[in-house]
Amino acid sequence: MYFKTVRKSLQKVLPEIVTVLDIGTSKVCCYIGRLGSGDTIQVMGVGYEASKGIRNGAIVNMEALSTSVARATHAAEQMAQVTVNDILVSLSAGLVESHILDVSLPIAGRAVDDNDIRKMQQTAAQSVGGSNSEILHCIPVTFNIDGTRGVKDPRGMVGESLGASIHVITAETGPVRNFYACVDRCHLSVSGFVVAPYASSLSTLVEDEIDLGVTLIDMGAGSTSISVFYDGRLYHTDYLPVGGLHVTNDIARGLSTPLLHAERIKILHGSAMVSPLSNQDDRGIISVPQIGEDDPQKGLQVTKSELVRIIRPRIEETFELVKERLKKFNDVAIASKRLVLTGGASQLPGVRELASLILDKHTRLGKPINVQGLDERMRTASFATCAGLLVYARGEQKLNASRQKKMSQNAPAFFGRFGVWLRENL
Ligand SMILES: Nc1ncnc2c1ncn2[C@@H]1O[C@H](COP(=O)(O)OP(=O)(O)OP(=O)(O)O)[C@@H](O)[C@H]1O
Ligand SMILES: [Mg+2]
């Protein structure tokens, strides 16, 4: 199994310098970060490239994508003046499945310890993992002891039976192997995968939001992905194959303009809602170059309101679809009233207001926080996933450092393929 080796390498204490790679639909972005003492993360190197050869989160052109990856990592290496070997990579939520499993374990009157929790993770993972799927994350969400629900950390508590709800995220082996091969072509190796909206949450959400429950929507170029936190834990992930690129396409079609101009017009003048001063939107005229027309004087003249009329239905439809998905999965996401939007496409004016209206939640825009050394351009929502990968790596470093100490004293016999999820323990 590919994951066996990869996850095993994660058992080692991560080095102080880590390299992460976000492979998105529009861009491939690499950060090299120094994980300092305490909670600091200092970005030392940055590289990004237009992404090629990826569709709906999966590789469709290996050569093109590996060129983008090689260029992005090389630029980051040059800036940081280090040579990279291993990278932690984001995986699109379109390639994964979220499962919540209830498992129980007899504890016969003794105090619960780390090994009990790992055994439960192993049981949950075994019941969903198959020969064609790989386990990416295995996160205990809530515990109960002898029927007492809502226990956050059962370690040290005494009882007869320990129960847990465990969130297992799986990915199909085939597409995952292609990412290994792609990174391998760049003479690098994958140290692990993190589901993209999980990474985005880690760089944009504050602790209170995670504890009280929050839904995060990462609005990218080709996708809108969702992560739901409940009681401090990632409870669900979901994915819709629609994003900012679709808005650009709508503008290009609606105004008969080349994609390049449609993208520029969207960024400069686009909005998902008419402004409160809507007569201003009618007065500002935008000149739109036409497909096949060289003479800029012959551009189409449109008002901002006309542009909004093209953009709004797509954003509305996206949030309506998100609403359906959240309803389907269960009422936890609906019950939490807080929503954070991130990803490049969330930067369109009016998106926050529309989300708040349709999803009926208190909504804010999320940008990467707690990562130092990023210039202003990189502190925007487009780079939330990449920054989040560094936050994830720091979390692992801390967990592994403390666990490795314990493991060397008392290595449990069941540490096989599944033992590696200790990192997503408590
Ligand atoms: N200021 C802006 N206003 C509106 N849209 C923007 C702005 N900046 C970027 N975008 C849009 O954001 C999208 C890119 O976002 P992002 O970089 O998060 O995507 P990605 O990670 O490459 O894609 P995905 O996550 O879907 O694989 C593009 O569609 C782009 O048009
Ligand atoms: Mg993205």
Side-chain angles (χ1 to χ4, degrees), residues 24-27 220-223 244-245 263 266-267 343-345 347-348 382:
T25 313
S26 71
K27 53 147 194 0
S223 66
L245 254 178
E263 177 74 11
K266 178 180 84 172
I267 302 223
Q347 299 172 100
L348 193 72
S382 300

Side-chain angles (χ1 to χ4, degrees), residues 350-385:
V351 161
R352 185 179 67 81
E353 292 77 1
L354 212 50
S356 172
L357 209 69
I358 295 171
L359 295 164
D360 188 27
K361 290 180 191 292
H362 302 296
T363 308
R364 73 168 178 92
L365 298 177
K367 291 193 236 181
I369 46 176
N370 299 332
V371 175
Q372 284 135 32
L374 291 173
D375 68 25
E376 211 171 310
R377 216 171 13 139
M378 300 272 166
R379 283 201 301 268
T380 62
S382 300
F383 298 94
T385 311

